[in-house]
Amino acid sequence: MYLLLMLVAAAVTFVTTPAARWIALRTGAISAVRKRDVHSVPTPRAGGLAMMTGLVVAVLLGSRMPFLEGVFDGPQAFGIVGGALIVCLLGWADDIWDLDWLTKLAGQILAAGFMALQQVQLFTFPTPGGLTIPSSRLSLLVTVLVVVVAMNAVNFVDGLDGLAAGIIAIGGTAFFLYTYRLTAEDTPENYASLATLMMAVLVGVCLGFLPHNFFPSRLFMGDSGSMMLGLVMAGAAITVTGKVDPEVMTGVAAIPALGPLLLPVAVIMLPLTDMVMAVVRRLAAGKSPMAPDRLHLHHRMLAVGHSHRRAVLILYVWTAVFAFSAAALVEWNWRIVLACSAVAVVVAVVVTMGPLRNRGRFLDDDVALAGTDRAADAVTGALPQAGAAAARPAVVATPAAAPTPRSEESNV
């Protein structure tokens, strides 16, 4: 059933993405070419609308399945969907009007607060002894903080074509397997789980969007997509907390039981690391933590000589190393997992910094762009139909006769 819902989410997202692009062109949701960006032609950015459609359709279908009937007894499922819808609309507004950071933060807090009021809330941390949050007010604040951090972490890493969608698809798959295994152990007579449902649907919408978004992309997911991915990931993680027995959290036995805490962090390890590094870097330079720059992880990958496609695939590898290593702790001894993870890290380092940077012509940007009209389509298709956005002086077309690498815009 979960795989069916994943397929439905992917199919709906895939077929509605062209409609989302059409909406982006007519509402002016277009990424201009800014100094900090790595894309070189104006590109529409409302893919989050298609992803949101896939999410809603799949969840509504799941609510009609007897197998998942218990999941929808409470308000949590639609609380996550409602919060996702709020940030999706917020992101769409930002994609059109370029909202200031304070307005975006207020909208993110509103969405996280709405989700928390629908009982998607942290009451305990999955730590040895089961750390309980002492008051309902503090629980609400901690929940909002966790959700807002997750949204912004995914938004920070959304800087190359297919990067954010691929990272969440890979990490979400690991989280899906973990929550499914946890549910099977906890209630072997009933495999229904809200976290497993949400992760299946989340992976589905990412897979459905990737064919349109992988380099060279015809449509960016925009803030409407990246913030929605972060919120749903955080919501699913929160619903898992409290489902492990604190009594088993002693010594080595505590390692797999820490899954609800370790796995969400492992899934967004790259986005979270990128965000922390960016904030520290900007504060150390006396700048606002929201000040844009070209020093994100994906910018550094390009700087060492990787093409856009190769950089994205390597970051996929690192995500898989972190996420599946954490998920493996549920099934295997921690020593075995540690040894395998060490080997995987060495391989990832070699792939990142070794001679493969210049191997594999099919991964080069010029090969990816050769024979396509996407660069020209982004210019000739977006600007004349974007209404008022076409008059923005920041939008400067790059001649289609000499296509150059372009990629998902980095918002911060």
Side-chain angles (χ1 to χ4, degrees), residues 238-257:
I238 289 170
T239 63
V240 177
T241 60
K243 292 192 174 183
V244 291
D245 185 1
E247 298 299 326
V248 306
M249 292 190 175
T250 57
V252 176
I255 296 177

Side-chain angles (χ1 to χ4, degrees), residues 79 97 164 235 249 299 349 354:
W97 296 299
M249 292 190 175
H299 290 127
V349 170

Side-chain angles (χ1 to χ4, degrees), residues 21 25 29-45 159 161 215-220 294 308 369 372-384 389 392-410:
R21 185 174 186 274
L25 295 177
I30 299 172
S31 289
V33 181
R34 300 164 297 184
K35 184 177 180 180
R36 69 178 184 267
D37 294 329
V38 292
H39 68 285
S40 59
V41 295
T43 306
R45 51 174 181 177
D161 290 356
F215 184 87
S217 173
R218 290 175 60 84
L219 178 70
F220 298 160
R294 288 181 59 89
H308 289 69
L369 286 168
T372 70
D373 61 352
R374 291 186 177 181
D377 184 53
V379 177
T380 60
L383 297 181
R392 295 176 185 169
V395 180
V396 180
T398 299
T404 53
R406 63 188 178 86
S407 122
E408 183 91 41
E409 106 273 11
S410 176

Side-chain angles (χ1 to χ4, degrees), residues 20-153:
R21 185 174 186 274
W22 182 88
I23 292 173
L25 295 177
R26 281 151 182 78
T27 59
I30 299 172
S31 289
V33 181
R34 300 164 297 184
K35 184 177 180 180
R36 69 178 184 267
D37 294 329
V38 292
H39 68 285
S40 59
V41 295
T43 306
R45 51 174 181 177
L49 299 180
M51 301 170 82
M52 189 70 224
T53 303
L55 177 77
V56 169
V57 171
V59 171
L60 288 177
L61 178 61
S63 69
R64 309 307 300 173
M65 292 181 172
F67 167 69
L68 293 171
E69 183 178 359
V71 170
F72 293 91
D73 285 344
Q76 290 183 312
F78 290 111
I80 296 176
V81 174
L85 182 59
I86 291 173
V87 293
C88 182
L89 295 176
L90 171 70
W92 184 27
D94 181 55
D95 292 336
I96 298 173
W97 296 299
D98 197 18
L99 305 177
D100 63 89
W101 70 270
L102 191 59
T103 301
K104 289 171 62 176
L105 179 61
Q108 291 173 347
I109 293 174
L110 174 65
F114 173 83
M115 195 167 69
L117 293 176
Q118 302 305 310
Q119 301 178 19
V120 183
Q121 193 168 155
L122 276 168
F123 296 103
T124 61
F125 286 105
T127 57
L131 179 61
T132 302
I133 300 176
S135 71
S136 58
R137 181 174 298 179
L138 183 59
S139 173
L140 177 62
L141 291 176
V142 172
T143 300
V144 169
L145 176 62
V146 168
V147 175
V148 169
V149 167
M151 284 190 283
N152 284 287

